[in-house]
């Protein structure tokens, strides 16, 4: 996944053993939050934790159910999963299930709002994507 380009700047601020990122493009910030928030590092107890506001004052609680997506064999799983599900609403979780360092054909998606989950299920359940039924 390409995170920066000349038109989409990411500024990294470091403060001791933590820090924060500032994105010039809100769509890129949304993508990074949805795909990488909560990501654990191998052989470590550390994980990425993103917040929607600098002071943590705006952290909505996701209300949608966690959807298990099966049957996908996407070429670029992170981006493909996000691109399929993001049009229906803002995502709090969008990640493939990885075991033994290989991506399975399953992912987890969670919307902030139940209505968005319902809309995605209505449009995507059973849909054929890259020759495979979801």
């Amino acid at each position: 996944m390409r995170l920066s380009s000349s038109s989409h700047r990411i500024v990294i601020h470091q403060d001791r053993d933590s820090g924060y990122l500032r994105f010039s493009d809100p769509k890129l910030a949304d993508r990074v939050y949805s795909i990488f928030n909560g990501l654990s590092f191998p052989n470590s107890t550390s994980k990425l934790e993103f917040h929607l506001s600098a002071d943590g004052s705006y952290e909505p609680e996701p209300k949608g159910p966690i959807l298990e997506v099966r049957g996908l064999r996407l070429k670029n799983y992170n981006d493909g999963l996000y691109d399929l599900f993001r049009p229906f609403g803002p995502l709090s979780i969008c990640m493939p299930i990885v075991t033994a360092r290989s991506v399975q054909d399953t992912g987890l998606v969670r919307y902030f709002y139940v209505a968005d989950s319902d809309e995605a299920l209505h449009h995507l359940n059973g849909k054929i994507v890259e020759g495979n039924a979801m």
Side-chain angles (χ1 to χ4, degrees):
M1 175 209 264
R2 185 178 172 94
L3 290 180
S4 67
S5 70
S6 59
S7 62
H8 302 299
R9 226 173 108 218
I10 300 172
V11 179
I12 302 171
H13 299 273
Q14 193 170 1
D15 181 22
R16 294 188 184 161
D17 47 336
S18 68
Y20 66 92
L21 304 174
R22 186 173 305 263
F23 296 89
S24 62
D25 178 13
K27 289 181 180 180
L28 180 60
D30 178 81
R31 180 180 291 270
V32 168
Y33 178 89
S34 299
I35 294 173
F36 295 110
N37 196 30
L39 181 73
S40 297
F41 294 99
N43 304 320
S44 173
T45 58
S46 299
K47 68 179 184 175
L48 287 176
E49 189 175 314
F50 292 101
H51 298 280
L52 297 177
S53 61
D55 63 0
S57 61
Y58 178 69
E59 294 299 323
E61 185 177 330
K63 303 290 186 193
I66 296 174
L67 306 175
E68 184 177 348
V69 182
R70 295 187 202 151
L72 292 179
R73 291 188 179 99
L74 301 170
K75 292 175 186 148
N76 186 335
Y77 205 94
N78 280 337
D79 283 338
L81 192 64
Y82 178 88
D83 291 341
L84 272 173
F85 284 88
R86 179 56 178 97
F88 301 100
L91 299 162
S92 70
I93 296 173
C94 182
M95 61 182 59
I97 294 177
V98 179
T99 57
R101 298 188 186 261
S102 68
V103 176
Q104 304 301 307
D105 295 339
T106 304
L108 300 176
V109 174
R110 187 175 194 189
Y111 288 94
F112 281 98
Y113 307 105
V114 174
D116 296 338
S117 294
D118 293 345
E119 186 75 9
L121 281 171
H122 174 74
H123 288 282
L124 298 177
N125 193 24
K127 181 177 180 173
I128 305 294
V129 177
E130 294 182 9
N132 300 297
M134 292 185 4

